[in-house]
Amino acid sequence: MKVVILASGTGTLLQAVIDSADETIDIVAVGSDRPCQALERAEAAGVPTFCVEYMPKVTDREKWNRTLSEKIAEFDPDLVLSAGFMRIIGPTVVERFAHRIINTHPALLPSFPGAHAVADALNYGVRVTGSTVHVVDSGVDTGPIVAQRAVPVEPNDTVETLHERIKTVERALLVEVLRDIAQHGLTIDGRKAWIEHP
Ligand code: GAR
């Protein structure tokens, strides 16, 4: 399975996928919206990279989406993985790779969508949060859910400590889900998404 991975930050999720990639998963490129450590990790691993820079208030969003879409298409992926990509992917990209983009989110969706999921869960006072892998649709973190795993919130947690524990779970879940999709494919029917195990 040829995978293009999109990331914007430190890229520890990306690194987990790089480290676990076996013959079923071929990371054909890593793309970003900004210069970041994730791109450096990809370069260090010998994976081709691209950056379609997004500058708030300056970048034309539609043009940016078209360029991103073209860049991804150059690598002809079977799957696009958003792993810590901190930009909303527009309809141009979502429609072109429909049902082939998955995202990992640091909360149990549909609770706490958006860019501040860990802080939002902590501030709400939930006792359990977690990690969700879902198909990307035209909404913000609204697509069909592929897998979820829970993480308890500890009384003394800060955003940083909680996010670190969630990311430990996210890395393992993501690697498992990718391997499962590579081996068995992903079936999507309306709001339901599942991996057909033999
Ligand atoms: C992960 O927790 C991922 O779920 C989150 O960014 C982190 C990336 O970590 N993504 C979002 O919040 C997207 N809304 P990393 O840079 O260490 O891989």
Side-chain angles (χ1 to χ4, degrees):
M1 181 171 73
K2 290 196 284 176
V3 185
V4 167
I5 302 180
L6 303 177
S8 303
T10 54
T12 67
L13 270 53
L14 164 72
Q15 190 69 55
V17 178
I18 289 173
D19 292 345
S20 71
D22 56 14
E23 67 283 353
T24 63
I25 293 164
D26 183 9
I27 306 168
V28 286
V30 171
S32 186
D33 59 318
R34 65 189 78 163
C36 61
Q37 207 185 332
L39 289 180
E40 291 168 20
R41 287 179 189 272
E43 278 157 23
V47 176
T49 62
F50 61 87
C51 183
V52 186
E53 202 159 347
Y54 188 99
M55 285 185 260
K57 297 195 178 111
V58 176
T59 301
D60 175 331
R61 188 180 280 272
E62 188 41 45
K63 204 167 152 200
W64 179 81
N65 272 291
R66 278 200 305 274
T67 312
L68 181 64
S69 169
E70 286 303 319
K71 275 284 167 198
I72 296 170
E74 275 177 30
F75 296 93
D76 191 27
D78 301 302
L79 192 83
V80 180
L81 167 65
S82 156
F85 190 60
M86 299 310 283
R87 293 271 156 224
I88 293 166
I89 297 169
T92 314
V93 184
V94 173
E95 281 159 25
R96 184 159 184 177
F97 304 98
H99 292 178
R100 284 190 288 147
I101 312 176
I102 62 169
N103 177 49
T104 169
H105 183 76
L108 293 177
L109 292 170
S111 293
F112 312 116
H116 309 287
V118 181
D120 291 347
L122 198 59
N123 291 337
Y124 192 93
V126 292
R127 306 301 303 273
V128 177
T129 183
S131 161
T132 301
V133 178
H134 67 95
V135 178
V136 173
D137 67 6
S138 55
V140 176
D141 301 323
T142 52
I145 291 169
V146 180
Q148 292 187 299
R149 201 158 285 172
V151 174
V153 180
E154 304 294 345
N156 297 328
D157 262 333
T158 61
V159 172
E160 289 72 31
T161 59
L162 180 56
H163 201 173
E164 263 322 306
R165 285 207 316 289
I166 293 172
K167 288 212 282 185
T168 302
V169 169
E170 276 191 289
R171 290 190 274 267
L173 185 62
L174 192 54
V175 164
E176 276 176 41
V177 166
L178 274 183
R179 193 164 293 158
D180 273 0
I181 294 177
Q183 287 176 2
H184 309 296
L186 179 65
T187 308
I188 302 166
D189 183 11
R191 287 245 15 112
K192 302 232 167 83
W194 69 94
I195 295 157
E196 204 98 50
H197 289 98

